[in-house]
Amino acid sequence: MTYGLRKYSWTLLPVILVAMVAGLSGGSSDFNFALWSIDYSQGFVRRGLAGEVVGGLFEVPLSKETMEAIFLFCFLLFVFASLLFFISLGSFPPFTLFVILSSGFYFQQYAYDLGKLDVIILMMVMIGLKIINPDRMKTTLVLIFFITTVALLIHEVSALLLVPIFLAGIWVQPLERVIRFKLVSAYFLYSILMFTVVYIAGSSTVEASVRYQSSSTLMPFLTADNDVFNIAGRSFYDNFSWAMGRLMEEKTGSRVLLNLVACFPFLIILGSMIRELMKLKVSVVEVVVLVSGSVLFLYFLGVDFYRWNALLMSLLFILLAYVGGVVKITYSVPLWLVWIALVFSLWSGPLGISVALPSRFFLFSGLEGII
């Protein structure tokens, strides 16, 4: 790790600078606050753990200022965890790592969504992957069982964001095929069981107004029209209809496409890394498809399509960094491609424009008309 810090030392300052600018310019909304206001005061409900912990650690009722400080603290922890994770693996050359972490879909995106639970889940992903030890897989299973349970209690979407990448992390270990199959099966079955328990036992028929009244005792500044209180009671069909209706809107569709354009050079980088692993006979295609497919399912569940793009890209880079660490390689990414990606990073984040809302601070004003 000491060698890794020396190797990446010249990249740390600019990465931290990007994270600071992104964090300080990141916003918090009433929607973000309400995500943390759901607790167990009305009985066991899905997504209640974050609010329960915050309410237990801080004097209630909580103020906006307190919650903003909590959000910023969680984001800075995420920055720290990301640096430790990527540097310790050593899979990306220093300049490549700088460009990835500075991209519109990494630090800049999660700072824009300051207050959402994404950084908590991603931190748990990185911690869990680092815990996996092929020499102590029984202990590993117990630990990732615990992490998975906590993640599902924070947000049930962890079943799509955390479980598949843990399965991938186990799958790429240098283990006998039969042992690897047993470990993957055990973790998969446990995850299904826990998700089922959390989803069924945590589903609530409480009216949105009652849910708001309960949450307002923790955070009195919340407004009654916050959509979080309605979302908690929506069915899968309701969410699907809502999401597809929004995606078909011209404005939303064009933003999603522009968002993907901002990710284009990074997709090529991902492709070059996958080819490099395939040349080494590493079984990487299956795990990439597993992680990608699980995130793509989110498009049918909600309307934050820019977030799904960001989570897809982030998890793929986390996965490939981890696989590179397991097989002990440093990817050789063409320098010209990394420079192109850097230009797109400056264009697609708070240092340029927001990936979430591509019309904001648009550097290429000639394209602004398409949104």
Side-chain angles (χ1 to χ4, degrees):
M1 185 62 183
T2 303
Y3 170 74
L5 285 173
R6 287 203 304 268
K7 179 182 176 182
Y8 289 87
S9 59
W10 71 271
T11 70
L12 291 177
L13 184 60
V15 166
I16 291 171
L17 179 62
V18 168
M20 286 177 60
V21 171
L24 292 174
S25 63
S28 298
S29 66
D30 198 56
F31 187 90
N32 294 158
F33 293 127
L35 287 171
W36 293 69
S37 70
I38 300 172
D39 57 20
Y40 298 143
S41 58
Q42 295 290 314
F44 178 73
V45 291
R46 289 181 283 122
R47 312 181 191 184
L49 185 59
E52 191 70 19
V53 170
V54 167
L57 292 178
F58 297 89
E59 185 178 350
V60 295
L62 302 171
S63 66
K64 279 186 178 181
E65 291 72 24
T66 299
M67 289 307 302
E68 286 173 347
I70 293 171
F71 294 165
L72 188 58
F73 177 74
C74 289
F75 177 71
L76 293 177
L77 274 183
F78 171 63
V79 172
F80 181 69
S82 297
L83 289 172
L84 284 181
F85 179 80
F86 285 107
I87 289 174
S88 66
L89 292 170
S91 304
F92 300 150
F95 185 49
T96 303
L97 178 60
F98 162 65
V99 174
I100 291 169
L101 294 182
S102 302
S103 67
F105 62 80
Y106 208 81
F107 287 150
Q108 299 189 51
Q109 176 58 57
Y110 299 115
Y112 177 84
D113 277 329
L114 204 65
K116 283 193 169 72
L117 297 163
D118 301 348
V119 296
I120 306 294
I121 296 173
L122 286 175
M123 272 193 286
M124 298 179 82
V125 164
M126 290 183 281
I127 291 168
L129 288 175
K130 291 296 291 182
I131 283 172
I132 295 176
N133 187 328
D135 299 323
R136 294 194 297 272
M137 286 308 298
K138 288 184 179 179
T139 304
T140 291
L141 274 184
V142 172
L143 291 173
I144 63 174
F145 282 171
F146 174 75
I147 293 173
T148 302
T149 303
V150 173
L152 288 170
L153 290 171
I154 291 173
H155 201 301
E156 71 277 8
V157 81
S158 300
L160 297 175
L161 300 181
L162 180 143
V163 171
I165 202 168
F166 279 4
L167 288 170
I170 297 171
W171 185 257
V172 298
Q173 297 302 316
L175 299 166
E176 291 182 21
R177 189 174 185 84
V178 174
I179 295 175
R180 185 171 58 186
F181 180 77
K182 287 180 179 178
L183 292 169
V184 166
S185 300
Y187 177 66
F188 183 60
L189 291 173
Y190 176 83
S191 302
I192 290 177
L193 175 64
M194 285 310 305
F195 173 78
T196 303
V197 170
V198 170
Y199 195 85
I200 294 176
S203 295
S204 174
T205 56
V206 176
E207 294 286 336
S209 58
V210 177
R211 201 183 303 275
Y212 162 69
Q213 290 173 3
S214 172
S215 295
S216 63
T217 61
L218 184 64
M219 300 179 195
F221 54 83
L222 293 174
T223 57
D225 61 352
N226 193 300
D227 208 26
V228 164
F229 307 121
N230 294 313
I231 290 173
R234 284 187 182 138
S235 66
F236 171 78
Y237 177 78
D238 293 335
N239 276 327
F240 176 78
S241 302
W242 179 39
M244 292 301 97
R246 284 288 298 274
L247 186 57
M248 293 302 107
E249 294 175 3
E250 183 179 355
K251 183 177 182 180
T252 303
S254 62
R255 283 181 170 176
V256 171
L257 289 175
L258 186 58
N259 183 244
L260 289 173
V261 169
C263 295
F264 183 70
F266 294 95
L267 290 171
I268 298 176
I269 291 174
L270 282 168
S272 71
M273 292 176 176
I274 292 170
R275 285 196 302 272
E276 203 166 336
L277 289 169
M278 291 175 67
K279 289 178 182 177
L280 298 174
K281 308 299 182 184
V282 178
S283 300
V284 69
V285 175
E286 308 98 293
V287 296
V288 167
V289 171
L290 173 67
V291 173
S292 302
S294 63
V295 179
L296 291 174
F297 193 71
L298 289 173
Y299 286 79
F300 301 107
L301 299 175
V303 299
D304 289 347
F305 304 111
Y306 65 92
R307 281 177 64 207
W308 315 151
N309 289 346
L311 287 166
L312 174 63
M313 297 298 293
S314 301
L315 284 171
L316 285 177
F317 275 108
I318 288 172
L319 173 64
L320 291 186
Y322 181 73
V323 175
V326 170
V327 299
K328 295 180 172 52
I329 68 166
T330 299
Y331 297 106
S332 54
V333 182
L335 189 59
W336 61 268
L337 182 56
V338 181
W339 276 107
I340 291 175
L342 179 61
V343 172
F344 274 70
S345 292
L346 294 174
W347 170 56
S348 63
L351 302 183
I353 62 166
S354 166
V355 166
L357 300 172
S359 61
R360 221 163 47 96
F361 309 124
F362 215 105
L363 296 185
F364 299 94
S365 57
L367 297 176
E368 192 169 6
I370 72 172
I371 61 170

